[in-house]
Amino acid sequence: FYSAATIELMIIQFHGHHSPYYAGMILLAVVALGFFPAGMRFHLFLAGTIYAVYLLPLLVMGDIHDPRTFFTQNYFLLLILAASVVIKHFNLAHLRDKVGLHYDMLQQAENLESTVAERTEQLVRASDEWRVTFDSTEDMMMLVEKDGTIVKANKAMAAFADTDVKELIGGSCYDVCTGNTIPGDRHPLKLMLASGKREAGEFYSARRDRWFLVSAEPLRSGHSREEGAVFIMRDISGIKILEQGLLEAKEEWEETFNIIEEGISIHDEHLNVLQANAATRRLLDLGNAPLEGRKCHELFHGTSGPISGCPGAEARRTGKAAVVDFYEPRLNRYFEVTALSLIH
C-alpha cells in the first residue's frame, strides 16, 4: 500500500495521468502479484488496492484533460492486474497439485503394507465364506472344465455320487450323472458349450427314483472366453409330485365338468366362451366343433350382440348372480339360465 501511495504521489506531482511514473505502478503490480507468496484472496485484495490507489486520487482531483490516454492507461493497468492474478492462480493451483501429489504418494507408501494385509485377510475370509456356503447348500454343485473335468465339488454332490469330495476332483461330470439321470445328447454342459449360455433341463434318476433340475452356467475369463461351467443339480421331486397332483385334480375337475347334465360354459368379460362342457355341445348340437373364442350370444341366440336381459351382462354389471327364464326359438326350448360373475 505504501509503495502504491508513493508512486501515486509521484504521478500526481508530475503531469497526472500523463506521468511517466505510471510505469512504476505497473512494475509494482507485476512484482507484488508475481513474487509475493500469499493466497488468492490476498492477491485479489492487493490488485484491487493498487488499482484503487491509482484511480481514486485522479478522479477526486478531476484533472483529466485527455480521456483517451486516461482510459487507455486504465485498461492497460487492469489488463496487467488481471493477467497477474490469473497467472498467480494457475501457479498456486500447480503448486497445490504438486504438494497434493507428493502427499498422496507418501500416504500410499505408508498405507500400502496395511492395505495389502487387509486385502489378503478379506480374500482369505471371502474364500472361507464361499467354501462354507458351497458345502452347506443342499443343491449339488460342481465347478467343471469345458471337457467335463471336475475342479471342485460340494458335499451334497459327493453324497449323491456315494463317494468323497476328494474322489470326485479330477473325474468327469459325465460319469457322476450315470444311471439314466441325464441322457448324453441332452446333457446341459454339452448344450451350454454349443449355445454359449445357461442351459437347464429336468431329468429323472431311476437309480434314485428322484427328479432333478440340472443346469450348467458358463464360467468366463476376463476376455469373456468360456473356461468352464458351474454345474448344479437340484432335487425337484416334491415339485413334480405337486405338479402331478395338480394335473390329476385338473383331470378330475374336467371329468366332473363334462359329466354334469346341465349345460355349463365359462365366458370372459367380453362374453367370449373360454370353456364349455359336453352337455353344452349336445344342447347346441355342435359335435366337436370348437366353441372356445366364440361369442355366447352367437352360439345360443344367433345374434351379433347380447339379447335384452342377458343374464351374463347383468351378472357382470351387478357382480351378483342373475337368473333368467326365456324361450329360444332356434332351439325350440325353454331355459332357466343362471349367470355368476367371476370378476369383481
Short mmCIF file of all heavy atoms in Angstrom, two decimals, residues 69-103:
data_model
loop_
_atom_site.label_atom_id
_atom_site.label_comp_id
_atom_site.label_asym_id
_atom_site.label_seq_id
_atom_site.Cartn_x
_atom_site.Cartn_y
_atom_site.Cartn_z
N THR A 69 -6.18 8.99 -23.34
CA THR A 69 -4.96 8.47 -22.68
C THR A 69 -5.30 7.89 -21.31
O THR A 69 -4.79 6.84 -20.91
CB THR A 69 -3.93 9.59 -22.53
OG1 THR A 69 -3.60 10.11 -23.83
CG2 THR A 69 -2.66 9.07 -21.87
N PHE A 70 -6.18 8.58 -20.59
CA PHE A 70 -6.55 8.11 -19.26
C PHE A 70 -7.19 6.71 -19.31
O PHE A 70 -6.81 5.82 -18.57
CB PHE A 70 -7.53 9.12 -18.64
CG PHE A 70 -8.07 8.67 -17.31
CD1 PHE A 70 -7.29 8.69 -16.16
CD2 PHE A 70 -9.39 8.23 -17.21
CE1 PHE A 70 -7.81 8.27 -14.95
CE2 PHE A 70 -9.90 7.81 -16.01
CZ PHE A 70 -9.11 7.84 -14.87
N PHE A 71 -8.15 6.54 -20.20
CA PHE A 71 -8.83 5.24 -20.29
C PHE A 71 -7.90 4.17 -20.83
O PHE A 71 -7.98 3.00 -20.43
CB PHE A 71 -10.09 5.37 -21.15
CG PHE A 71 -11.22 6.06 -20.46
CD1 PHE A 71 -11.66 7.29 -20.93
CD2 PHE A 71 -11.81 5.53 -19.32
CE1 PHE A 71 -12.68 7.96 -20.28
CE2 PHE A 71 -12.84 6.19 -18.70
CZ PHE A 71 -13.28 7.40 -19.16
N THR A 72 -7.00 4.53 -21.75
CA THR A 72 -6.04 3.55 -22.28
C THR A 72 -5.12 3.05 -21.18
O THR A 72 -4.85 1.84 -21.06
CB THR A 72 -5.22 4.17 -23.42
OG1 THR A 72 -6.10 4.60 -24.46
CG2 THR A 72 -4.23 3.17 -23.98
N GLN A 73 -4.64 3.97 -20.35
CA GLN A 73 -3.74 3.57 -19.27
C GLN A 73 -4.48 2.73 -18.22
O GLN A 73 -3.94 1.77 -17.68
CB GLN A 73 -3.12 4.81 -18.62
CG GLN A 73 -2.11 5.52 -19.53
CD GLN A 73 -1.50 6.74 -18.88
OE1 GLN A 73 -2.04 7.25 -17.90
NE2 GLN A 73 -0.38 7.22 -19.42
N ASN A 74 -5.74 3.11 -17.94
CA ASN A 74 -6.53 2.30 -17.00
C ASN A 74 -6.76 0.89 -17.54
O ASN A 74 -6.66 -0.11 -16.81
CB ASN A 74 -7.88 2.98 -16.73
CG ASN A 74 -7.81 3.95 -15.59
OD1 ASN A 74 -8.00 3.59 -14.44
ND2 ASN A 74 -7.50 5.20 -15.93
N TYR A 75 -7.10 0.82 -18.83
CA TYR A 75 -7.32 -0.50 -19.44
C TYR A 75 -6.07 -1.36 -19.37
O TYR A 75 -6.12 -2.55 -19.03
CB TYR A 75 -7.76 -0.30 -20.90
CG TYR A 75 -7.84 -1.59 -21.68
CD1 TYR A 75 -8.90 -2.47 -21.51
CD2 TYR A 75 -6.82 -1.93 -22.58
CE1 TYR A 75 -8.96 -3.66 -22.22
CE2 TYR A 75 -6.87 -3.11 -23.29
CZ TYR A 75 -7.94 -3.98 -23.11
OH TYR A 75 -7.99 -5.15 -23.81
N PHE A 76 -4.91 -0.74 -19.68
CA PHE A 76 -3.65 -1.49 -19.67
C PHE A 76 -3.30 -1.95 -18.25
O PHE A 76 -2.86 -3.09 -18.03
CB PHE A 76 -2.53 -0.63 -20.26
CG PHE A 76 -1.24 -1.38 -20.45
CD1 PHE A 76 -1.14 -2.37 -21.42
CD2 PHE A 76 -0.13 -1.11 -19.66
CE1 PHE A 76 0.04 -3.07 -21.60
CE2 PHE A 76 1.05 -1.80 -19.85
CZ PHE A 76 1.14 -2.78 -20.81
N LEU A 77 -3.52 -1.06 -17.27
CA LEU A 77 -3.23 -1.43 -15.88
C LEU A 77 -4.16 -2.56 -15.40
O LEU A 77 -3.71 -3.51 -14.74
CB LEU A 77 -3.39 -0.20 -14.97
CG LEU A 77 -3.11 -0.44 -13.47
CD1 LEU A 77 -1.70 -0.97 -13.25
CD2 LEU A 77 -3.33 0.84 -12.67
N LEU A 78 -5.45 -2.44 -15.74
CA LEU A 78 -6.37 -3.51 -15.38
C LEU A 78 -5.98 -4.83 -16.04
O LEU A 78 -6.09 -5.91 -15.44
CB LEU A 78 -7.80 -3.14 -15.79
CG LEU A 78 -8.49 -2.11 -14.91
CD1 LEU A 78 -9.82 -1.69 -15.53
CD2 LEU A 78 -8.74 -2.67 -13.50
N LEU A 79 -5.54 -4.77 -17.30
CA LEU A 79 -5.11 -5.97 -18.01
C LEU A 79 -3.91 -6.60 -17.32
O LEU A 79 -3.84 -7.82 -17.16
CB LEU A 79 -4.78 -5.61 -19.47
CG LEU A 79 -4.43 -6.79 -20.38
CD1 LEU A 79 -5.64 -7.72 -20.51
CD2 LEU A 79 -4.02 -6.28 -21.77
N ILE A 80 -2.94 -5.77 -16.90
CA ILE A 80 -1.76 -6.29 -16.20
C ILE A 80 -2.16 -6.93 -14.88
O ILE A 80 -1.70 -8.02 -14.52
CB ILE A 80 -0.75 -5.15 -15.97
CG1 ILE A 80 -0.18 -4.66 -17.30
CG2 ILE A 80 0.38 -5.62 -15.05
CD1 ILE A 80 0.62 -5.69 -18.06
N LEU A 81 -3.06 -6.25 -14.14
CA LEU A 81 -3.50 -6.80 -12.85
C LEU A 81 -4.24 -8.13 -13.04
O LEU A 81 -4.01 -9.10 -12.30
CB LEU A 81 -4.41 -5.80 -12.15
CG LEU A 81 -3.73 -4.52 -11.63
CD1 LEU A 81 -4.78 -3.52 -11.16
CD2 LEU A 81 -2.75 -4.84 -10.50
N ALA A 82 -5.15 -8.17 -14.03
CA ALA A 82 -5.92 -9.39 -14.26
C ALA A 82 -5.00 -10.53 -14.69
O ALA A 82 -5.13 -11.67 -14.22
CB ALA A 82 -6.99 -9.14 -15.31
N ALA A 83 -4.06 -10.23 -15.61
CA ALA A 83 -3.15 -11.27 -16.07
C ALA A 83 -2.29 -11.79 -14.92
O ALA A 83 -2.04 -13.00 -14.80
CB ALA A 83 -2.27 -10.73 -17.20
N SER A 84 -1.84 -10.87 -14.06
CA SER A 84 -1.00 -11.29 -12.92
C SER A 84 -1.78 -12.17 -11.96
O SER A 84 -1.27 -13.17 -11.44
CB SER A 84 -0.46 -10.05 -12.19
OG SER A 84 0.33 -9.26 -13.06
N VAL A 85 -3.07 -11.80 -11.73
CA VAL A 85 -3.89 -12.61 -10.82
C VAL A 85 -4.17 -13.99 -11.41
O VAL A 85 -4.10 -15.01 -10.72
CB VAL A 85 -5.22 -11.88 -10.54
CG1 VAL A 85 -6.20 -12.80 -9.82
CG2 VAL A 85 -4.97 -10.64 -9.70
N VAL A 86 -4.46 -14.06 -12.74
CA VAL A 86 -4.71 -15.35 -13.38
C VAL A 86 -3.46 -16.23 -13.34
O VAL A 86 -3.54 -17.43 -13.03
CB VAL A 86 -5.18 -15.13 -14.84
CG1 VAL A 86 -5.23 -16.46 -15.59
CG2 VAL A 86 -6.55 -14.49 -14.85
N ILE A 87 -2.31 -15.64 -13.65
CA ILE A 87 -1.06 -16.41 -13.60
C ILE A 87 -0.79 -16.91 -12.19
O ILE A 87 -0.37 -18.06 -11.98
CB ILE A 87 0.11 -15.55 -14.13
CG1 ILE A 87 -0.07 -15.28 -15.62
CG2 ILE A 87 1.45 -16.24 -13.87
CD1 ILE A 87 0.94 -14.30 -16.19
N LYS A 88 -1.04 -16.03 -11.22
CA LYS A 88 -0.83 -16.44 -9.82
C LYS A 88 -1.78 -17.59 -9.46
O LYS A 88 -1.40 -18.55 -8.76
CB LYS A 88 -1.08 -15.25 -8.90
CG LYS A 88 -1.04 -15.58 -7.41
CD LYS A 88 0.31 -16.17 -6.98
CE LYS A 88 1.41 -15.12 -7.06
NZ LYS A 88 2.68 -15.64 -6.51
N HIS A 89 -3.03 -17.52 -9.96
CA HIS A 89 -3.99 -18.59 -9.69
C HIS A 89 -3.49 -19.93 -10.22
O HIS A 89 -3.52 -20.95 -9.52
CB HIS A 89 -5.34 -18.24 -10.31
CG HIS A 89 -6.30 -19.38 -10.33
ND1 HIS A 89 -6.93 -19.84 -9.19
CD2 HIS A 89 -6.72 -20.18 -11.35
CE1 HIS A 89 -7.71 -20.86 -9.50
NE2 HIS A 89 -7.60 -21.09 -10.80
N PHE A 90 -3.03 -19.93 -11.47
CA PHE A 90 -2.55 -21.18 -12.05
C PHE A 90 -1.28 -21.67 -11.37
O PHE A 90 -1.07 -22.88 -11.19
CB PHE A 90 -2.32 -21.02 -13.56
CG PHE A 90 -3.59 -21.00 -14.36
CD1 PHE A 90 -4.03 -19.84 -14.98
CD2 PHE A 90 -4.37 -22.14 -14.47
CE1 PHE A 90 -5.20 -19.83 -15.72
CE2 PHE A 90 -5.55 -22.14 -15.21
CZ PHE A 90 -5.97 -20.98 -15.83
N ASN A 91 -0.41 -20.74 -10.97
CA ASN A 91 0.82 -21.14 -10.25
C ASN A 91 0.48 -21.79 -8.91
O ASN A 91 1.07 -22.81 -8.53
CB ASN A 91 1.72 -19.93 -10.04
CG ASN A 91 2.41 -19.49 -11.33
OD1 ASN A 91 2.55 -20.29 -12.25
ND2 ASN A 91 2.85 -18.24 -11.39
N LEU A 92 -0.48 -21.16 -8.21
CA LEU A 92 -0.88 -21.74 -6.91
C LEU A 92 -1.56 -23.09 -7.10
O LEU A 92 -1.33 -24.02 -6.31
CB LEU A 92 -1.82 -20.78 -6.19
CG LEU A 92 -1.19 -19.48 -5.65
CD1 LEU A 92 -2.27 -18.58 -5.07
CD2 LEU A 92 -0.12 -19.79 -4.60
N ALA A 93 -2.38 -23.20 -8.16
CA ALA A 93 -3.04 -24.49 -8.41
C ALA A 93 -2.02 -25.57 -8.74
O ALA A 93 -2.12 -26.71 -8.27
CB ALA A 93 -4.04 -24.33 -9.55
N HIS A 94 -1.02 -25.20 -9.55
CA HIS A 94 0.03 -26.16 -9.89
C HIS A 94 0.82 -26.56 -8.65
O HIS A 94 1.16 -27.75 -8.46
CB HIS A 94 0.95 -25.55 -10.94
CG HIS A 94 2.08 -26.44 -11.35
ND1 HIS A 94 1.88 -27.64 -12.02
CD2 HIS A 94 3.44 -26.33 -11.16
CE1 HIS A 94 3.05 -28.22 -12.23
NE2 HIS A 94 4.00 -27.45 -11.74
N LEU A 95 1.08 -25.57 -7.81
CA LEU A 95 1.82 -25.87 -6.57
C LEU A 95 1.02 -26.77 -5.66
O LEU A 95 1.55 -27.72 -5.07
CB LEU A 95 2.17 -24.55 -5.86
CG LEU A 95 2.96 -24.68 -4.55
CD1 LEU A 95 4.30 -25.34 -4.81
CD2 LEU A 95 3.15 -23.31 -3.90
N ARG A 96 -0.30 -26.50 -5.57
CA ARG A 96 -1.15 -27.35 -4.73
C ARG A 96 -1.18 -28.78 -5.28
O ARG A 96 -1.16 -29.75 -4.52
CB ARG A 96 -2.56 -26.79 -4.66
CG ARG A 96 -2.71 -25.59 -3.75
CD ARG A 96 -4.17 -25.32 -3.44
NE ARG A 96 -4.89 -24.98 -4.65
CZ ARG A 96 -5.07 -23.75 -5.10
NH1 ARG A 96 -4.56 -22.72 -4.43
NH2 ARG A 96 -5.75 -23.52 -6.21
N ASP A 97 -1.25 -28.90 -6.61
CA ASP A 97 -1.26 -30.24 -7.21
C ASP A 97 0.02 -31.00 -6.91
O ASP A 97 -0.01 -32.20 -6.60
CB ASP A 97 -1.47 -30.13 -8.73
CG ASP A 97 -2.87 -29.65 -9.09
OD1 ASP A 97 -3.75 -29.75 -8.21
OD2 ASP A 97 -3.06 -29.18 -10.23
N LYS A 98 1.15 -30.30 -7.01
CA LYS A 98 2.44 -30.96 -6.73
C LYS A 98 2.53 -31.38 -5.27
O LYS A 98 2.95 -32.50 -4.97
CB LYS A 98 3.59 -30.03 -7.09
CG LYS A 98 3.77 -29.80 -8.59
CD LYS A 98 4.94 -28.88 -8.90
CE LYS A 98 6.26 -29.54 -8.46
NZ LYS A 98 7.40 -28.68 -8.82
N VAL A 99 2.10 -30.49 -4.40
CA VAL A 99 2.15 -30.82 -2.97
C VAL A 99 1.17 -31.95 -2.66
O VAL A 99 1.50 -32.89 -1.92
CB VAL A 99 1.83 -29.57 -2.12
CG1 VAL A 99 1.69 -29.95 -0.65
CG2 VAL A 99 2.91 -28.52 -2.30
N GLY A 100 -0.03 -31.86 -3.24
CA GLY A 100 -1.01 -32.93 -3.02
C GLY A 100 -0.55 -34.26 -3.55
O GLY A 100 -0.74 -35.30 -2.92
N LEU A 101 0.09 -34.24 -4.74
CA LEU A 101 0.60 -35.48 -5.32
C LEU A 101 1.69 -36.08 -4.45
O LEU A 101 1.71 -37.30 -4.21
CB LEU A 101 1.12 -35.21 -6.73
CG LEU A 101 1.72 -36.41 -7.47
CD1 LEU A 101 0.67 -37.50 -7.65
CD2 LEU A 101 2.28 -35.98 -8.82
N HIS A 102 2.56 -35.22 -3.97
CA HIS A 102 3.63 -35.71 -3.11
C HIS A 102 3.06 -36.30 -1.81
O HIS A 102 3.50 -37.36 -1.35
CB HIS A 102 4.59 -34.56 -2.79
CG HIS A 102 5.77 -34.96 -1.95
ND1 HIS A 102 6.74 -35.83 -2.39
CD2 HIS A 102 6.11 -34.62 -0.67
CE1 HIS A 102 7.64 -36.01 -1.44
NE2 HIS A 102 7.28 -35.28 -0.38
N TYR A 103 2.05 -35.60 -1.28
CA TYR A 103 1.43 -36.09 -0.05
C TYR A 103 0.72 -37.42 -0.29
O TYR A 103 0.81 -38.35 0.53
CB TYR A 103 0.45 -35.05 0.47
CG TYR A 103 -0.30 -35.48 1.70
CD1 TYR A 103 0.30 -35.45 2.96
CD2 TYR A 103 -1.62 -35.93 1.61
CE1 TYR A 103 -0.38 -35.85 4.09
CE2 TYR A 103 -2.31 -36.34 2.73
CZ TYR A 103 -1.68 -36.29 3.97
OH TYR A 103 -2.36 -36.70 5.07
#
